[in-house]
């Protein structure tokens, strides 16, 4: 279950967003706003996997596949992206520190 109050407090503290604003963006058709919301959650959420559930599976797949990792936070962003892809879509992990050792 998504805790919208915590999400707003920890991710969107500099904005005047409400739960309804966030849901409107996540469920809306504006790809630019949806990308903004996704990136803020991906890079800042304390509850990454839980908070990403705000998106439909179709939207989340598109957002993850098309997310361009920036150079300044490359390692951190790549880890979080791979964790989400593995969790939601069973994609293999390529980062050796995150792989299970059998």
């Amino acid at each position: 279950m998504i805790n919208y109050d915590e999400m707003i407090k920890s991710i969107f503290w500099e904005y005047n967003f409400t739960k309804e604003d966030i849901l409107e963006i996540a469920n809306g058709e504006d790809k630019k706003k949806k990308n903004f919301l996704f990136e803020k959650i991906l890079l800042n959420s304390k509850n990454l996997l839980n908070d990403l559930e705000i998106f439909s599976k179709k939207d989340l797949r598109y957002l993850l596949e098309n997310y361009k990792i920036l150079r300044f936070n490359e390692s951190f962003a790549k880890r979080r992206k791979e964790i989400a892809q593995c969790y939601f879509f069973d994609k293999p992990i390529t980062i050796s520190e995150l792989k299970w050792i059998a």
Side-chain angles (χ1 to χ4, degrees):
M1 181 132 210
I2 298 171
N3 183 336
Y4 291 95
D5 291 334
E6 179 63 31
M7 181 189 287
I8 291 166
K9 190 169 112 181
S10 65
I11 302 172
F12 301 106
W13 57 269
E14 67 222 287
Y15 301 94
N16 213 7
F17 284 173
T18 64
K19 173 184 175 181
E20 291 74 24
D21 295 330
I22 293 169
L23 287 170
E24 185 177 315
I25 294 169
N27 297 316
E29 297 300 320
D30 189 326
K31 289 187 189 245
K32 189 174 183 178
K33 287 182 180 179
K34 204 172 281 201
N35 278 318
F36 164 80
L37 181 65
F38 168 76
E39 185 170 10
K40 292 292 279 183
I41 293 171
L42 182 71
L43 299 179
N44 299 295
S45 176
K46 294 180 194 175
N47 301 303
L48 176 64
L49 301 175
N50 192 44
D51 289 347
L52 285 175
E53 289 185 1
I54 195 169
F55 298 103
S56 69
K57 285 279 194 177
K58 179 184 172 188
D59 284 342
L60 185 56
R61 182 181 304 275
Y62 174 84
L63 291 163
L64 283 165
E65 288 176 354
N66 292 285
Y67 178 66
K68 303 295 183 223
I69 297 172
L70 300 177
R71 197 100 168 122
F72 82 94
N73 63 353
E74 184 175 10
S75 178
F76 178 76
K78 185 176 181 182
R79 285 173 186 267
R80 290 174 69 91
K81 179 182 175 183
E82 285 208 17
I83 288 167
Q85 286 178 313
C86 179
Y87 180 80
F88 289 106
F89 302 109
D90 294 323
K91 297 260 182 164
I93 296 285
T94 63
I95 300 170
S96 61
E97 303 91 66
L98 298 178
K99 290 182 182 180
W100 287 99
I101 298 173

